[in-house]
Amino acid sequence: MTITARAVHLAERPVGLPTDATWSIQTRDLAPPKDGEVLVKPTHLSIDPAMRGWVREAHVYMPTLAIGDVMHAFGIATVLESRHPSFQPGDTVSGLLGVTDHANIRGDALTPVDLSLAPAPTWLGALGQTGITAWFGLFDVAKAKPGDTVLISGAAGAVGSVAGQLAKAHGCHVIGIAGGQQKTRWLTDELGFDAAVDYKNGDIYEQVRAAAGQGIDCFLDNVGGDALNAALAVLNQGARVAICGAISTYNATDPIVGPSNYLSLLRKRASMAGFLVFDYEDRYSEAVEGLTALMGEGRLVSPEHVVAGGVDRFPEALLMLYNGLNTGKLVLEM
Amino acid sequence: MTITARAVHLAERPVGLPTDATWSIQTRDLAPPKDGEVLVKPTHLSIDPAMRGWVREAHVYMPTLAIGDVMHAFGIATVLESRHPSFQPGDTVSGLLGVTDHANIRGDALTPVDLSLAPAPTWLGALGQTGITAWFGLFDVAKAKPGDTVLISGAAGAVGSVAGQLAKAHGCHVIGIAGGQQKTRWLTDELGFDAAVDYKNGDIYEQVRAAAGQGIDCFLDNVGGDALNAALAVLNQGARVAICGAISTYNATDPIVGPSNYLSLLRKRASMAGFLVFDYEDRYSEAVEGLTALMGEGRLVSPEHVVAGGVDRFPEALLMLYNGLNTGKLVLEM
């Protein structure tokens, strides 16, 4: 039996926002899995802001993509055929699968997934790297304590929407920054945020200052730009800023504008640190246990935005992120 | 006996660099010390880059100066008359004295100084707040470990010149950034720095990159601007940036340019933190013991730049800092 794989390949490195010319969607025959490999059929792919970085010439934590390579994507898949002792046909797994409807993946790089505990999108959302990023960003990097005021940018996004719920469950006062009244209402009415700032409706600096009241102790930044700069202006003494991402900069063709308020770090004896969830691999189980417990108690929901259509919808789904069209974790259903 | 005090008063808040119009030098009669106060005659004043901040409308960690107030300065003084049980005439003390040749200071705010251990300028330099700032900046904030590559901006200045020697004594590879060949040679030939970058002679980004080799683990920033941005570009994974100051920005009339390379913090899982030495008051003795021991072993010198002339030379001495005319700790002899 010949297996064909329909996949999104990198056709050219984008300048600014990816376009149709960035990608080439091709169908090719797939060789049978080699010893140690597993033939998988992805069912759900995680669409991540960081993907814009993955197509750059040189990337720091992912294998650099050459022109013609299948685009990276994390996802959930069903095992069709296994030449690895840990997996059998019918198993559900997660891993770095690529934007493809079939792939041979080294079994050692796959993790078993238990769909009886949660559906596939949730394993990419609150119980996946998204939730784990929120967990360590909030508790390990930003060191949120009960009573802290926690500000989150990209609050209606994948990481932000989980982080805000975690902060609330931890006894923090939580403020989100998001774009549009629909999102800010969702944050306060559905997710329990104490306040939300609509950066599309008025001056973000004034709004953040008004919402912060006496100031903020923690800031989780997924956006960069004015959101970061506005947050720096309202730091409390000893505040912690966790840089999770900077989606506002990923497609920028102009030079990045640095945060002019960075000297607040000096005046307020505050700190700003970047992190990558991959560095916490040894401690994933700690986060997943905590996240699972909160979901079990009904104190955490996994906001997911599932787009159907498989491989061919990938280019459009990716742009949804940068245009702010998703609410919660964006998942491509295959 | 009437005591007169000749002092530098704040005449107007400067825009940009302080000018003669910023200050008013006046001689006034001084009331006798009240109960709990000590009449002191300053012998040496510490001239600090932070002084530019102290004359702003609102300041975060020093009492705000009103127009007409005597300018703040830390210094060393001789006790002339004491109405505080801890001090007697002839004692040497340190504290926030002001730019004045006589002052009544609360005894509780003064610290005894032992001139048999080190001369007065050294108590403002390596054994004073300068050395203590270098100590905690390097070991507590930047967490320098033996084998680390440590980059220091303003390396020929008060804090930088001590920090570099401390880092060398700690087994680090030390690179300094300073302005002019005289300073960079002094760093490598006299203070034992491994390398020095002359930001006035060529592109600071290229030079820092070349000097850093494989990258830097610690950065002590006294300067801001391009020095900070160049350092961010060469961070190693897990690097620590300590913001001690930002002398390049203190007199700026244009908006501060933030560090556009701040996303290195994310890519390199690095951190950047500001600190004020005053926050370490409970641990000063720890630093002073360590600094004293290193001086005793001949592994630390206290580079001092002493300017004579007393109160009247203060305006000129202060400008020396911002024009890069000092090497080591700038001290005004009274």
Side-chain angles (χ1 to χ4, degrees):
Chain A
M1 185 185 72
T2 302
I3 295 278
T4 58
R6 187 166 174 78
V8 174
H9 299 252
L10 180 63
E12 64 175 40
R13 299 192 196 280
V15 176
L17 276 174
T19 66
D20 286 348
T22 306
W23 314 109
S24 152
I25 301 179
Q26 301 170 25
T27 304
R28 298 184 185 185
D29 287 344
L30 206 61
K34 299 192 191 100
D35 201 37
E37 288 187 338
V38 178
L39 171 65
V40 300
K41 182 177 170 54
T43 61
H44 298 82
L45 295 182
S46 172
I47 308 297
D48 293 307
M51 283 173 155
R52 182 62 183 79
W54 301 349
V55 297
R56 291 185 198 280
E57 199 97 28
H59 197 73
V60 284
Y61 62 86
M62 292 283 271
T64 297
L65 284 176
I67 300 298
D69 284 352
V70 173
M71 175 63 186
H72 294 314
F74 290 96
I76 307 289
T78 305
V79 172
L80 296 186
E81 188 182 339
S82 175
R83 295 195 59 194
H84 187 283
S86 303
F87 301 101
Q88 297 188 353
D91 284 354
T92 304
V93 294
S94 70
L96 186 61
L97 311 176
V99 184
T100 178
D101 62 359
H102 290 89
N104 290 316
I105 308 285
R106 286 191 312 102
D108 293 345
L110 293 171
T111 305
V113 165
D114 185 348
L115 293 183
S116 74
L117 293 178
T122 302
W123 287 108
L124 298 177
L127 297 183
Q129 277 169 7
T130 296
I132 298 170
T133 300
W135 182 276
F136 289 114
L138 188 67
F139 296 129
D140 203 77
V141 184
K143 295 182 172 53
K145 302 181 307 294
D148 279 351
T149 295
V150 174
L151 180 69
I152 299 170
S153 67
V159 170
S161 61
V162 173
Q165 296 177 78
L166 291 181
K168 277 307 294 179
H170 198 58
C172 302
H173 181 79
V174 182
I175 306 162
I177 305 175
Q181 202 182 56
Q182 200 177 340
K183 286 182 181 175
T184 54
R185 281 209 178 141
W186 178 68
L187 293 176
T188 51
D189 297 356
E190 302 292 324
L191 297 190
F193 280 58
D194 295 289
V197 163
D198 177 3
Y199 73 84
K200 292 185 174 170
N201 183 21
D203 184 278
I204 189 173
Y205 291 87
E206 284 170 23
Q207 289 189 86
V208 164
R209 187 170 292 280
Q214 295 305 303
I216 62 170
D217 304 294
C218 304
F219 177 49
L220 254 71
D221 190 20
N222 298 293
V223 174
D226 284 332
L228 172 58
N229 212 29
L232 287 172
V234 296
L235 297 183
N236 284 336
Q237 192 162 324
R240 289 83 59 195
V241 175
I243 306 286
C244 311
I247 195 170
S248 73
T249 71
Y250 294 162
N251 294 287
T253 49
D254 293 329
I256 288 176
V257 175
S260 59
N261 290 327
Y262 87 96
L263 281 173
S264 285
L265 297 176
L266 174 55
R267 284 190 288 270
K268 297 304 174 72
R269 298 79 138 179
S271 64
M272 179 157 94
F275 73 105
L276 290 175
V277 69
F278 310 112
D279 295 330
Y280 288 91
E281 225 160 350
D282 291 349
R283 294 173 59 191
Y284 276 9
S285 60
E286 177 188 323
V288 173
E289 274 171 36
L291 292 158
T292 307
L294 284 170
M295 285 191 82
E297 294 163 18
R299 302 169 77 193
L300 170 67
V301 297
S302 179
E304 294 143 14
H305 192 136
V306 179
V307 173
V311 162
D312 294 80
R313 284 284 302 277
F314 169 79
E316 183 188 339
L318 182 61
L319 290 178
M320 288 177 65
L321 284 178
Y322 305 125
N323 293 321
L325 299 180
N326 63 306
T327 300
K329 177 70 194 176
L330 187 61
V331 172
L332 180 62
E333 196 174 82
M334 301 294 284
Chain B
M1 186 185 70
T2 302
I3 296 278
T4 58
R6 186 165 174 79
V8 173
H9 299 252
L10 179 63
E12 64 176 38
R13 298 192 196 281
V15 176
L17 275 175
T19 65
D20 286 347
T22 307
W23 314 109
S24 152
I25 302 180
Q26 300 170 26
T27 304
R28 297 183 186 187
D29 288 344
L30 206 61
K34 299 192 191 102
D35 201 38
E37 286 186 339
V38 177
L39 171 64
V40 302
K41 182 177 170 54
T43 61
H44 298 82
L45 295 183
S46 171
I47 308 298
D48 292 307
M51 284 175 155
R52 182 61 182 80
W54 301 349
V55 298
R56 290 186 199 280
E57 198 97 32
H59 196 74
V60 285
Y61 62 88
M62 293 282 271
T64 298
L65 284 176
I67 300 298
D69 284 353
V70 174
M71 175 62 187
H72 294 315
F74 290 96
I76 307 289
T78 305
V79 172
L80 298 185
E81 189 182 338
S82 174
R83 295 195 60 193
H84 188 281
S86 302
F87 300 100
Q88 297 188 352
D91 285 355
T92 305
V93 295
S94 71
L96 186 62
L97 311 176
V99 184
T100 178
D101 62 359
H102 290 88
N104 291 315
I105 308 285
R106 286 191 313 102
D108 293 346
L110 293 171
T111 304
V113 166
D114 186 348
L115 293 184
S116 73
L117 293 178
T122 303
W123 287 108
L124 298 177
L127 297 183
Q129 276 170 7
T130 295
I132 299 169
T133 300
W135 181 277
F136 289 113
L138 188 67
F139 296 128
D140 204 77
V141 184
K143 296 182 172 53
K145 301 181 306 291
D148 279 352
T149 295
V150 174
L151 179 69
I152 300 171
S153 66
V159 170
S161 60
V162 174
Q165 296 178 78
L166 291 181
K168 278 307 296 178
H170 199 58
C172 303
H173 182 79
V174 181
I175 306 163
I177 305 174
Q181 203 183 54
Q182 199 177 342
K183 285 182 180 174
T184 55
R185 282 208 178 142
W186 178 68
L187 292 176
T188 52
D189 298 355
E190 303 291 324
L191 296 190
F193 280 57
D194 296 288
V197 163
D198 177 2
Y199 73 85
K200 291 185 173 169
N201 184 21
D203 184 278
I204 189 172
Y205 291 87
E206 285 170 23
Q207 289 190 85
V208 164
R209 187 170 291 281
Q214 297 304 304
I216 63 171
D217 305 294
C218 304
F219 178 50
L220 253 72
D221 191 20
N222 298 294
V223 173
D226 285 330
L228 172 58
N229 212 30
L232 287 171
V234 296
L235 297 183
N236 283 337
Q237 192 162 324
R240 290 82 58 195
V241 175
I243 306 287
C244 311
I247 195 170
S248 73
T249 70
Y250 293 163
N251 294 287
T253 49
D254 291 330
I256 288 177
V257 175
S260 59
N261 290 328
Y262 88 97
L263 281 173
S264 285
L265 298 175
L266 175 56
R267 285 190 288 269
K268 297 304 174 72
R269 299 77 139 181
S271 64
M272 179 157 93
F275 73 105
L276 290 176
V277 68
F278 311 112
D279 295 331
Y280 288 92
E281 225 160 351
D282 292 350
R283 294 173 59 191
Y284 276 8
S285 60
E286 178 189 325
V288 173
E289 274 171 36
L291 292 158
T292 307
L294 285 170
M295 285 192 82
E297 295 164 17
R299 303 169 76 194
L300 171 66
V301 296
S302 179
E304 295 144 14
H305 192 135
V306 180
V307 173
V311 162
D312 294 80
R313 285 283 303 277
F314 170 78
E316 185 189 337
L318 182 61
L319 290 178
M320 287 177 64
L321 284 177
Y322 305 126
N323 292 321
L325 299 180
N326 64 305
T327 300
K329 177 68 192 179
L330 188 60
V331 172
L332 180 63
E333 198 174 79
M334 301 295 282

